[in-house]
Amino acid sequence: MAEAPVEPGLAPLLAAACRAHGAAFGGAAVVLAAWAPGRVNLIGEHTDYNGGFVLPMALQLGTVLVGSPTQDGTISILTTSAEADEPHRVQFPAPRQGSPLSPGQPRWANYIKGVIQHYRGGPVPGFNAVIASDIPLGGGLSSSAALEVATYTFLQQLCPDDGDLVAKALACQKAEHTFASMPCGIMDQFISVMGKEGHALLIDCRSLDTVLVPLTDASLAVLITNSNVRHTLTGSEYPTRRRQCEEAAATLGKGSLRDATMAELEVARSRLGEEVYRRARHVVGEIARTAQAAKALQDRDYRTFGRLMVESHNSLSSACRGVLRKASQASVPGGAGMRQPITDDYEVSCPELDELVAAALEVNGVYGSRMTGGGFGGCTVTLLEAGAAERAQHYIQEKYSGTATFYLTKPASGAKVLPL
């Protein structure tokens, strides 16, 4: 894997990781460095594990891993961004035949252990490494996949594999399934591996086919707003939603909800039960919305794209939030025409996310806004005119009951090796 230049925004993160490595393991021993981006999903939420479409873009925010091989067969890893209640350093023996790694504590290390265990290259030797990231933890911007892909990219330098990008993403997904016990879809790992600067990526999560969708219009901006809240439901509700989708598909006699139609759902509504029916209705509708949104973006039809974003959020919302209902029943100055029904089908939003979306939709120049990620906190993503970005940030913060953090971003490249 060829080295890529270090962008100015990435240089401080790399320098901090190198300093931490020097302090922890000794000065000039750093010989390898890798970076992988987080992602924001523009539209297509909770469709990836249902074989549907997603439309993410890689972020300029990401995770760096710097390190060097050792001769003692021990892996020692230091993170500069671990959870406050967990150790920041972990050490364990490199896996050997008959002696595989297993998950344990601290939790953050399980993502790394899983990638090492499922790495497709030669036997992984001992190494020292430091991890640094500027992706907000728990923000729904896929810090976990960035960590997995950065680890895999680092290992490719230690003991090269065959360079198969799809296999790389699948190995990182398997690590999250087996070591972090999170039954995620393939989107996060795919975009972290395959992102391209200036493009979103339409991913068919069933066939794994991808289509690059240009996102280079200088008059357009993507604004990520972090609610800075993390509700404890996230870990338990994600697997529950996935089980409900699988139940719906089985009841319909389908391999996945990708093959279901709205008409079939209506016929089976009583057999599904109301809650499972609504979960399936979100997924079937969201798959169609995502395909429509990709075409709208290709056509530079930003008003249609924005309308579809709001429809997506309304389907993901929870318990008929009054603040969002009010915004959705009004005609927004930004021109998105937000008179959209709120179906509350998937119920993974929260009051803070709904507040942020409602505020964004009141700003002139905003095309659309929605929650992004698994839900129950984290971030929203807003598509808007570039000239409205500063005004939108001020207005959203003024209206929001909490303290928001903003990231104005452009589509970035996927994982890469960094020069030192």
PDB file of all heavy atoms in Angstrom, residues 183-199:
ATOM      1  N   PRO A 183     -23.695  -6.436  15.985  1.00  0.00           N
ATOM      2  CA  PRO A 183     -24.039  -7.022  14.676  1.00  0.00           C
ATOM      3  C   PRO A 183     -24.233  -5.964  13.592  1.00  0.00           C
ATOM      4  O   PRO A 183     -25.296  -5.843  12.982  1.00  0.00           O
ATOM      5  CB  PRO A 183     -25.345  -7.762  14.983  1.00  0.00           C
ATOM      6  CG  PRO A 183     -25.984  -6.944  16.065  1.00  0.00           C
ATOM      7  CD  PRO A 183     -24.841  -6.445  16.920  1.00  0.00           C
ATOM      8  N   CYS A 184     -23.187  -5.188  13.339  1.00  0.00           N
ATOM      9  CA  CYS A 184     -23.277  -4.071  12.399  1.00  0.00           C
ATOM     10  C   CYS A 184     -23.369  -4.568  10.961  1.00  0.00           C
ATOM     11  O   CYS A 184     -22.990  -5.690  10.631  1.00  0.00           O
ATOM     12  CB  CYS A 184     -22.055  -3.175  12.546  1.00  0.00           C
ATOM     13  SG  CYS A 184     -20.492  -3.998  12.161  1.00  0.00           S
ATOM     14  N   GLY A 185     -23.893  -3.692  10.087  1.00  0.00           N
ATOM     15  CA  GLY A 185     -23.844  -3.956   8.662  1.00  0.00           C
ATOM     16  C   GLY A 185     -22.462  -3.624   8.123  1.00  0.00           C
ATOM     17  O   GLY A 185     -21.522  -3.348   8.872  1.00  0.00           O
ATOM     18  N   ILE A 186     -22.332  -3.600   6.798  1.00  0.00           N
ATOM     19  CA  ILE A 186     -21.023  -3.450   6.170  1.00  0.00           C
ATOM     20  C   ILE A 186     -20.678  -1.997   5.841  1.00  0.00           C
ATOM     21  O   ILE A 186     -19.532  -1.678   5.500  1.00  0.00           O
ATOM     22  CB  ILE A 186     -20.944  -4.318   4.879  1.00  0.00           C
ATOM     23  CG1 ILE A 186     -19.500  -4.408   4.343  1.00  0.00           C
ATOM     24  CG2 ILE A 186     -21.885  -3.756   3.801  1.00  0.00           C
ATOM     25  CD1 ILE A 186     -18.505  -4.965   5.332  1.00  0.00           C
ATOM     26  N   MET A 187     -21.647  -1.083   5.967  1.00  0.00           N
ATOM     27  CA  MET A 187     -21.427   0.288   5.490  1.00  0.00           C
ATOM     28  C   MET A 187     -20.182   0.940   6.081  1.00  0.00           C
ATOM     29  O   MET A 187     -19.358   1.511   5.347  1.00  0.00           O
ATOM     30  CB  MET A 187     -22.632   1.162   5.812  1.00  0.00           C
ATOM     31  CG  MET A 187     -22.384   2.649   5.571  1.00  0.00           C
ATOM     32  SD  MET A 187     -23.806   3.690   5.904  1.00  0.00           S
ATOM     33  CE  MET A 187     -24.032   3.450   7.666  1.00  0.00           C
ATOM     34  N   ASP A 188     -20.032   0.922   7.399  1.00  0.00           N
ATOM     35  CA  ASP A 188     -18.986   1.706   8.042  1.00  0.00           C
ATOM     36  C   ASP A 188     -17.596   1.269   7.600  1.00  0.00           C
ATOM     37  O   ASP A 188     -16.734   2.093   7.287  1.00  0.00           O
ATOM     38  CB  ASP A 188     -19.111   1.592   9.567  1.00  0.00           C
ATOM     39  CG  ASP A 188     -20.409   2.182  10.089  1.00  0.00           C
ATOM     40  OD1 ASP A 188     -21.152   2.798   9.306  1.00  0.00           O
ATOM     41  OD2 ASP A 188     -20.679   2.009  11.285  1.00  0.00           O
ATOM     42  N   GLN A 189     -17.369  -0.026   7.577  1.00  0.00           N
ATOM     43  CA  GLN A 189     -16.061  -0.527   7.164  1.00  0.00           C
ATOM     44  C   GLN A 189     -15.828  -0.280   5.669  1.00  0.00           C
ATOM     45  O   GLN A 189     -14.711   0.046   5.261  1.00  0.00           O
ATOM     46  CB  GLN A 189     -15.953  -2.025   7.479  1.00  0.00           C
ATOM     47  CG  GLN A 189     -15.927  -2.351   8.964  1.00  0.00           C
ATOM     48  CD  GLN A 189     -17.304  -2.380   9.611  1.00  0.00           C
ATOM     49  OE1 GLN A 189     -18.333  -2.307   8.921  1.00  0.00           O
ATOM     50  NE2 GLN A 189     -17.342  -2.501  10.928  1.00  0.00           N
ATOM     51  N   PHE A 190     -16.875  -0.421   4.879  1.00  0.00           N
ATOM     52  CA  PHE A 190     -16.738  -0.226   3.430  1.00  0.00           C
ATOM     53  C   PHE A 190     -16.305   1.194   3.094  1.00  0.00           C
ATOM     54  O   PHE A 190     -15.384   1.410   2.306  1.00  0.00           O
ATOM     55  CB  PHE A 190     -18.078  -0.543   2.740  1.00  0.00           C
ATOM     56  CG  PHE A 190     -17.974  -1.603   1.684  1.00  0.00           C
ATOM     57  CD1 PHE A 190     -17.617  -2.892   2.015  1.00  0.00           C
ATOM     58  CD2 PHE A 190     -18.240  -1.317   0.355  1.00  0.00           C
ATOM     59  CE1 PHE A 190     -17.518  -3.880   1.038  1.00  0.00           C
ATOM     60  CE2 PHE A 190     -18.151  -2.281  -0.626  1.00  0.00           C
ATOM     61  CZ  PHE A 190     -17.789  -3.569  -0.284  1.00  0.00           C
ATOM     62  N   ILE A 191     -16.987   2.189   3.681  1.00  0.00           N
ATOM     63  CA  ILE A 191     -16.657   3.565   3.319  1.00  0.00           C
ATOM     64  C   ILE A 191     -15.310   3.973   3.899  1.00  0.00           C
ATOM     65  O   ILE A 191     -14.567   4.743   3.279  1.00  0.00           O
ATOM     66  CB  ILE A 191     -17.779   4.540   3.760  1.00  0.00           C
ATOM     67  CG1 ILE A 191     -17.509   5.961   3.251  1.00  0.00           C
ATOM     68  CG2 ILE A 191     -17.964   4.535   5.258  1.00  0.00           C
ATOM     69  CD1 ILE A 191     -17.507   6.091   1.740  1.00  0.00           C
ATOM     70  N   SER A 192     -14.933   3.436   5.064  1.00  0.00           N
ATOM     71  CA  SER A 192     -13.634   3.755   5.636  1.00  0.00           C
ATOM     72  C   SER A 192     -12.496   3.196   4.781  1.00  0.00           C
ATOM     73  O   SER A 192     -11.428   3.790   4.681  1.00  0.00           O
ATOM     74  CB  SER A 192     -13.535   3.210   7.063  1.00  0.00           C
ATOM     75  OG  SER A 192     -12.382   3.707   7.719  1.00  0.00           O
ATOM     76  N   VAL A 193     -12.748   2.066   4.130  1.00  0.00           N
ATOM     77  CA  VAL A 193     -11.751   1.472   3.229  1.00  0.00           C
ATOM     78  C   VAL A 193     -11.780   2.139   1.857  1.00  0.00           C
ATOM     79  O   VAL A 193     -10.732   2.442   1.281  1.00  0.00           O
ATOM     80  CB  VAL A 193     -11.997  -0.045   3.082  1.00  0.00           C
ATOM     81  CG1 VAL A 193     -11.133  -0.638   1.960  1.00  0.00           C
ATOM     82  CG2 VAL A 193     -11.713  -0.774   4.393  1.00  0.00           C
ATOM     83  N   MET A 194     -12.972   2.393   1.310  1.00  0.00           N
ATOM     84  CA  MET A 194     -13.117   2.724  -0.110  1.00  0.00           C
ATOM     85  C   MET A 194     -13.532   4.156  -0.410  1.00  0.00           C
ATOM     86  O   MET A 194     -13.779   4.489  -1.564  1.00  0.00           O
ATOM     87  CB  MET A 194     -14.139   1.778  -0.737  1.00  0.00           C
ATOM     88  CG  MET A 194     -13.741   0.333  -0.642  1.00  0.00           C
ATOM     89  SD  MET A 194     -14.948  -0.738  -1.454  1.00  0.00           S
ATOM     90  CE  MET A 194     -14.377  -2.326  -0.914  1.00  0.00           C
ATOM     91  N   GLY A 195     -13.614   5.005   0.603  1.00  0.00           N
ATOM     92  CA  GLY A 195     -13.999   6.385   0.341  1.00  0.00           C
ATOM     93  C   GLY A 195     -13.079   7.052  -0.666  1.00  0.00           C
ATOM     94  O   GLY A 195     -11.896   6.719  -0.775  1.00  0.00           O
ATOM     95  N   LYS A 196     -13.643   8.009  -1.403  1.00  0.00           N
ATOM     96  CA  LYS A 196     -12.852   8.766  -2.379  1.00  0.00           C
ATOM     97  C   LYS A 196     -13.117  10.250  -2.191  1.00  0.00           C
ATOM     98  O   LYS A 196     -14.273  10.667  -2.041  1.00  0.00           O
ATOM     99  CB  LYS A 196     -13.195   8.351  -3.816  1.00  0.00           C
ATOM    100  CG  LYS A 196     -12.339   9.063  -4.863  1.00  0.00           C
ATOM    101  CD  LYS A 196     -12.623   8.578  -6.278  1.00  0.00           C
ATOM    102  CE  LYS A 196     -11.756   9.308  -7.285  1.00  0.00           C
ATOM    103  NZ  LYS A 196     -12.045   8.890  -8.678  1.00  0.00           N
ATOM    104  N   GLU A 197     -12.061  11.022  -2.190  1.00  0.00           N
ATOM    105  CA  GLU A 197     -12.179  12.468  -2.011  1.00  0.00           C
ATOM    106  C   GLU A 197     -13.161  13.050  -3.031  1.00  0.00           C
ATOM    107  O   GLU A 197     -13.123  12.712  -4.217  1.00  0.00           O
ATOM    108  CB  GLU A 197     -10.807  13.121  -2.163  1.00  0.00           C
ATOM    109  CG  GLU A 197     -10.796  14.606  -1.879  1.00  0.00           C
ATOM    110  CD  GLU A 197      -9.394  15.194  -1.942  1.00  0.00           C
ATOM    111  OE1 GLU A 197      -8.431  14.428  -2.155  1.00  0.00           O
ATOM    112  OE2 GLU A 197      -9.271  16.420  -1.793  1.00  0.00           O
ATOM    113  N   GLY A 198     -14.052  13.914  -2.551  1.00  0.00           N
ATOM    114  CA  GLY A 198     -14.993  14.591  -3.439  1.00  0.00           C
ATOM    115  C   GLY A 198     -16.188  13.763  -3.835  1.00  0.00           C
ATOM    116  O   GLY A 198     -16.946  14.160  -4.720  1.00  0.00           O
ATOM    117  N   HIS A 199     -16.400  12.612  -3.188  1.00  0.00           N
ATOM    118  CA  HIS A 199     -17.497  11.723  -3.582  1.00  0.00           C
ATOM    119  C   HIS A 199     -18.182  11.102  -2.362  1.00  0.00           C
ATOM    120  O   HIS A 199     -17.530  10.769  -1.368  1.00  0.00           O
ATOM    121  CB  HIS A 199     -16.979  10.573  -4.453  1.00  0.00           C
ATOM    122  CG  HIS A 199     -16.479  11.001  -5.791  1.00  0.00           C
ATOM    123  ND1 HIS A 199     -15.244  11.615  -5.950  1.00  0.00           N
ATOM    124  CD2 HIS A 199     -17.034  10.920  -7.032  1.00  0.00           C
ATOM    125  CE1 HIS A 199     -15.058  11.877  -7.243  1.00  0.00           C
ATOM    126  NE2 HIS A 199     -16.124  11.465  -7.909  1.00  0.00           N
TER     127      HIS A 199
END
